Amino acid sequence: MQVISFHLARADNGVIGVDGQLPWRLPADLKRFKAQTMGKPMIMGRKTFDSFPAPLPGRRHIVLTRDRNWHAEGAEVAHTPAEALALAGPGEVAVIGGAEVFALFTPDRIELTEVHAAPKGDAVVPAFGVEWREVAREDFPEEAGRPAYSFVTLERTG
């Protein structure tokens, strides 16, 4: 059985990225992301894969792309969501973005970092609807020029 989880940081205005990068620097969010995805297959778009300086250690990188000729060291290539899920196999599958990739999957759980800011950006994920309930929240204040943020876990209600 597969369990699909989304892992993302999203600003109050829905922004998740600008020019292929995160519009903030939150070391605690990166540490949480690493802990939650370690040892799991991660499904991502090509732009997300390209935003990493190198493949992230300890995780499989399944890259969803329309380009039939694209390949990169450390990436397993899929051309459809079904292919990506088949490559991932059973167990938890972490979908990590970008916005177009999130729109292609229906998660069972969402691990969300709410960034309490409204930066400019070119990648946006809409708010999650009423079919989600919050099951965990940790709030952190603004500090050292970094915005306040919250770690939130959402589960599907039905």
Side-chain angles (χ1 to χ4, degrees):
M1 182 174 128
Q2 274 183 333
V3 175
I4 299 172
S5 58
F6 280 8
H7 298 264
L8 71 152
R10 181 184 173 279
D12 292 337
N13 61 354
V15 167
I16 66 166
V18 61
D19 298 327
Q21 300 297 317
L22 296 173
W24 47 75
R25 175 120 174 87
L26 293 173
D29 174 54
L30 299 176
K31 184 177 177 181
R32 179 179 190 244
F33 174 84
K34 180 179 181 179
Q36 290 177 335
T37 59
M38 187 59 70
K40 296 180 176 79
M42 300 184 307
I43 296 175
M44 69 202 76
R46 182 197 46 78
K47 290 178 193 172
T48 297
F49 181 84
D50 287 346
S51 74
F52 299 144
L56 304 176
R59 291 154 274 193
R60 289 175 53 211
H61 296 67
I62 300 170
V63 179
L64 195 51
T65 178
R66 290 181 282 268
D67 183 346
R68 297 265 171 200
N69 297 314
W70 186 87
H71 65 279
E73 188 161 331
E76 299 172 55
V77 179
H79 301 292
T80 67
E83 279 181 37
L85 291 172
L87 277 172
E92 184 174 348
V93 180
V95 176
I96 67 166
E100 290 180 44
V101 173
F102 287 127
L104 297 173
F105 292 90
T106 303
D108 300 292
R109 189 178 75 253
I110 300 170
E111 296 294 347
L112 175 64
T113 299
E114 293 178 343
V115 180
H116 302 302
K120 291 186 169 140
D122 53 20
V124 175
V125 170
F128 298 103
V130 296
E131 69 274 16
W132 294 97
R133 68 183 163 96
E134 188 176 301
V135 297
R137 173 181 287 271
E138 288 181 87
D139 297 316
F140 301 90
E142 180 179 344
E143 182 181 15
R146 295 186 176 107
Y149 60 96
S150 303
F151 292 154
V152 180
T153 301
L154 303 171
E155 289 183 352
R156 189 171 290 288
T157 57

